């Protein structure tokens, strides 16, 4: 008999990729995905604990399922991802209606754990990290579907231990995937129609450094660049301290590499950067930004910033504002500092009350909104190459794709163009997307 599962995913791209694996594994043991929890025999949440808000959201959503379980005691409720990793068995103690808890290294165990829950009627948890022998299980090979652009995991975990960050605690030590496996997967994806890959890891710049005989991240990029059919390459996330001169040079030399780099700075003041254990100074960061702009003048940068880290003075915050104004990021993702238990910074006393923290956050946002609007508005009137990703759900003959700067562009065109890079004249710029018109003559000439 077919069984149905409902899956909700929180958090970062890592979790999105992990959820794809969950869907694949459950499909193999006869489960079919459904759109609402009410239709499901199995409900799974893939969770994030990076900030308090993210974690509370998970608990809020879990609470919604309790009445369903009361109505249908056979319903199985499982929790995976970073909250599951952190809480482990405690989650089973706290939430009596949860049956199954699996950590970030235990996704491959899901079918067996499920069999235990359904067969032996036992509540189960597994949160052990993989070891040297079994770590390849972290990187299951993924096949092409009809997507034009795909994420390819090149590493898992993080060794940086930024003092505020829970990720190294819940994802484990940094492990690089063998380059042979990565390249084989990308060749396969390219043969299946994928045109853009995003190489994914918590800190891709240190790819391979801890593995004897492995190539470096720049070498990996060069090898991906050689693969026929791949037209665009992105990667995320980069840690500024590991952004080598060799990698910076790639932006000037590799036509398939996009002119966009997400380079989280977190803060613009040296004392706070040191307390965050980021491993670079303001000057070192700005030097790398200057080098990037030297080798690739139209590169656009984006960043993550944390506001209100313990000890942040008005002067420190002023340095952050000045840095943001100087770098001119195309976009930033800013977060209120949120203490995470188990991290080094959780021991530090917070000096700001929530109101002042929020006021700083708002100032940063206002500054960035002006910069972003100016940058994205400057595209209007220009003809930009857009990789067409698909047909818009809204219909009306609309296609959508992205520019090299990762901005979504909506425009009218034939579905045959999906998978191709076409010239689009940008006609309007909105908060998160742009509108454009196909330069039809040029498309005909090129085909
Ligand atoms: N590995 C990536 C992403 C880490 S999590 C990186 O190093 O950039 C994504 C972002 O969440 C971080 O860049 C940071 O800005 C933010 N973040 C992490 N922990 C946080 C915390 N305790 N409080 C507020 N923001 C946090
Ligand atoms: Fe967290 Fe720092 Fe690692 Fe990023 S580099 S995941 S912020 S510890
Ligand atoms: Fe969240 Fe885990 Fe990603 S804590 S940000 S889902 S690595």
């Amino acid at each position: 008999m077919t069984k149905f599962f409902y899956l909700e995913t929180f958090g970062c791209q890592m979790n999105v990729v992990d959820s794809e694996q969950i869907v694949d594994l459950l499909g193999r043991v006869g489960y079919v995905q459904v759109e609402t929890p009410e239709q499901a025999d199995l409900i799974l949440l893939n969770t994030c604990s990076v900030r308090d808000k993210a974690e509370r959201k998970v608990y809020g959503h879990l609470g919604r399922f309790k009445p369903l379980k009361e109505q249908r005691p056979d319903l199985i409720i499982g929790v995976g991802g970073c909250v599951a990793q952190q809480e482990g068995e405690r989650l089973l103690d706290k939430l009596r209606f949860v049956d199954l808890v699996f950590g970030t290294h235990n996704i491959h165990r899901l079918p067996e754990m499920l069999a235990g829950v359904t067969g032996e009627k036992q509540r189960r948890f597994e949160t052990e990290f993989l070891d040297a022998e079994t770590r390849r299980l972290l990187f299951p090979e993924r096949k092409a579907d009809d997507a034009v652009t795909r994420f390819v995991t090149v590493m898992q975990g993080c060794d940086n231990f930024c003092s505020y960050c829970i990720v190294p605690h819940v994802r484990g030590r940094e492990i690089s995937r063998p380059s042979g496996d990565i390249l084989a997967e990308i060749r396969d994806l390219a043969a299946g129609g994928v045109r853009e890959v995003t190489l994914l890891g918590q800190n891709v710049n240190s790819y391979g450094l801890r593995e004897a005989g492995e190539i470096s991240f720049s070498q990996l990029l060069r090898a991906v660049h050689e693969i026929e059919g791949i037209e665009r390459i992105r990667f995320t996330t980069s840690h500024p301290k590991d952004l080598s001169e060799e990698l910076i040079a790639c932006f000037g030399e590799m036509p398939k590499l996009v002119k966009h780099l997400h380079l989280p700075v977190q803060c613009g003041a040296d004392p706070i950067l040191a307390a965050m254990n980021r491993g670079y100074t303001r000057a070192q960061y700005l030097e790398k930004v200057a080098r990037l702009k030297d080798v690739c003048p139209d590169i656009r940068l984006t960043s993550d910033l944390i506001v209100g880290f313990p000890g942040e003075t008005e002067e420190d915050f002023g340095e952050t504002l000045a840095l943001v104004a100087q770098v001119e990021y195309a976009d930033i993702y800013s977060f209120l500092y949120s203490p995470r238990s188990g991290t080094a910074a959780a021991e530090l006393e917070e000096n700001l009350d929530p109101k002042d923290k929020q006021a700083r956050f708002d100032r940063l946002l206002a500054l960035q909104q002006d910069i972003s609007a100016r940058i994205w508005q400057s595209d209007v009137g220009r003809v930009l190459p857009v990789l067409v990703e698909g047909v818009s759900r809204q219909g009306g003959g609309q296609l959508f794709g992205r520019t090299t700067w990762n901005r979504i562009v909506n425009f009218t065109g034939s579905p045959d163009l999906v998978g191709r890079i076409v010239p689009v004249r940008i006609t309007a710029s909105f908060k998160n997307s742009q509108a454009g018109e196909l330069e039809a003559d040029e498309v005909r000439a090129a085909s």
Side-chain angles (χ1 to χ4, degrees):
M1 205 179 63
T2 313
K3 297 221 168 200
F4 298 101
F5 76 98
Y6 171 80
L7 170 64
E8 239 178 283
T9 307
F10 299 81
C12 66
Q13 193 59 43
M14 290 281 168
N15 266 14
V16 174
V17 171
D18 286 349
S19 281
E20 288 173 9
Q21 192 196 348
I22 294 174
V23 171
D24 184 46
L25 285 170
L26 290 178
R28 288 183 204 193
V29 293
Y31 276 89
V32 173
Q33 193 167 14
V34 289
E35 297 291 317
T36 67
E38 288 75 18
Q39 297 167 283
D41 305 294
L42 165 67
I43 294 176
L44 292 177
L45 288 196
N46 193 6
T47 62
C48 173
S49 55
V50 76
R51 288 170 291 274
D52 183 46
K53 245 190 188 166
E55 201 172 325
R56 261 185 291 152
K57 211 161 136 191
V58 167
Y59 280 97
H61 278 240
L62 273 170
R64 270 172 44 212
F65 305 138
K66 194 177 171 197
L68 289 180
K69 178 85 173 184
E70 282 161 2
Q71 286 162 17
R72 291 191 283 135
D74 281 344
L75 174 66
I76 299 170
I77 298 180
V79 186
C82 297
V83 176
Q85 183 63 46
Q86 193 178 280
E87 294 293 305
E89 195 176 11
R90 264 177 302 180
L91 209 66
L92 292 182
D93 295 337
K94 274 196 220 163
L95 304 176
R96 303 301 303 174
F97 58 96
V98 169
D99 304 285
L100 183 70
V101 173
F102 56 102
T104 53
H105 284 210
N106 313 88
I107 296 173
H108 63 285
R109 295 276 307 142
L110 197 52
E112 273 179 81
M113 293 178 72
L114 258 177
V117 176
T118 50
E120 294 147 40
K121 303 278 174 219
Q122 279 173 347
R123 301 168 81 214
R124 291 276 180 106
F125 78 94
E126 287 190 25
T127 52
E128 246 167 67
F129 284 142
L130 295 172
D131 59 24
E133 259 119 72
T134 49
R135 53 199 269 180
R136 255 190 143 108
L137 290 164
L138 277 176
F139 306 105
E141 208 198 324
R142 294 156 69 243
K143 299 280 170 215
D145 47 24
D146 54 3
V148 169
T149 164
R150 285 286 290 263
F151 282 83
V152 175
T153 309
V154 302
M155 54 153 21
Q156 289 263 17
C158 182
D159 286 354
N160 287 320
F161 288 94
C162 301
S163 63
Y164 50 81
C165 186
I166 197 70
V167 172
H169 306 268
V170 289
R171 288 272 165 178
R173 294 291 62 71
E174 197 173 296
I175 299 172
S176 290
R177 182 181 186 187
S179 51
D181 293 0
I182 297 170
L183 295 169
E185 181 173 306
I186 297 177
R187 274 187 216 106
D188 219 46
L189 291 174
V194 170
R195 295 290 164 258
E196 177 189 88
V197 285
T198 304
L199 308 180
L200 181 67
Q202 295 295 353
N203 178 19
V204 292
N205 300 0
S206 62
Y207 173 84
L209 298 181
R210 288 164 183 73
E211 323 286 329
E214 190 49 278
I215 57 177
S216 70
F217 187 63
S218 324
Q219 289 168 319
L220 180 68
L221 271 185
R222 283 179 208 286
V224 176
H225 204 264
E226 299 281 296
I227 296 176
E228 209 177 310
I230 295 299
E231 308 278 348
R232 268 191 188 168
I233 307 167
R234 303 182 182 279
F235 58 86
T236 195
T237 300
S238 285
H239 194 303
K241 80 173 162 51
D242 298 314
L243 181 66
S244 63
E245 184 54 36
E246 196 191 347
L247 185 52
I248 291 174
C250 291
F251 284 94
E253 293 163 8
M254 295 172 52
K256 294 180 180 178
L257 184 60
V258 292
K259 295 180 182 354
H260 166 228
L261 179 64
H262 184 61
L263 193 64
V265 67
Q266 311 297 357
C267 171
D270 283 335
I272 301 296
L273 285 170
M276 286 177 162
N277 192 29
R278 285 293 287 177
Y280 54 85
T281 62
R282 173 194 178 85
Q284 286 167 333
Y285 182 89
L286 288 172
E287 173 60 26
K288 294 199 183 189
V289 169
R291 287 290 304 134
L292 283 161
K293 290 183 177 175
D294 275 352
V295 301
C296 182
D298 47 0
I299 197 165
R300 289 189 187 170
L301 303 175
T302 53
S303 193
D304 292 346
L305 287 113
I306 296 177
V307 175
F309 186 83
E312 181 190 273
T313 62
E314 181 54 35
E315 191 190 340
D316 294 331
F317 180 65
E319 298 240 359
T320 296
L321 292 177
L323 180 136
V324 165
Q326 180 178 341
V327 175
E328 299 192 290
Y329 295 109
D331 277 308
I332 62 168
Y333 304 88
S334 40
F335 308 103
L336 291 168
Y337 168 71
S338 162
R340 305 281 66 206
S341 113
T343 63
E347 309 298 317
L348 304 173
E349 208 177 313
E350 289 195 69
N351 54 316
L352 287 171
D353 68 49
K355 201 165 70 332
D356 295 335
K357 210 159 145 182
Q358 185 67 45
R360 284 187 188 171
F361 183 89
D362 294 344
R363 283 160 67 196
L364 176 60
L365 208 67
L367 168 67
Q368 182 59 40
Q369 269 168 359
D370 285 350
I371 299 170
S372 290
R374 181 158 41 76
I375 291 177
W376 297 114
Q377 198 59 38
S378 74
D379 290 344
V380 174
R382 291 176 73 182
V383 177
L384 301 175
V386 170
L387 172 60
V388 187
E389 290 182 22
V391 176
S392 260
R393 286 216 190 107
Q394 288 102 357
Q398 285 274 299
L399 302 176
F400 69 95
R402 279 169 211 264
T403 63
T404 191
W405 299 308
N406 211 18
R407 210 44 161 194
I408 293 263
V409 183
N410 293 293
F411 60 99
T412 305
S414 151
D416 303 346
L417 297 177
V418 173
R420 287 179 49 190
I421 295 181
V422 297
V424 176
R425 184 177 299 278
I426 306 300
T427 52
S429 201
F430 313 110
K431 198 154 181 274
N432 297 309
S433 69
Q434 295 176 322
E437 279 166 9
L438 197 61
E439 291 278 293
D441 293 346
E442 289 180 45
V443 175
R444 242 175 268 126
S447 57

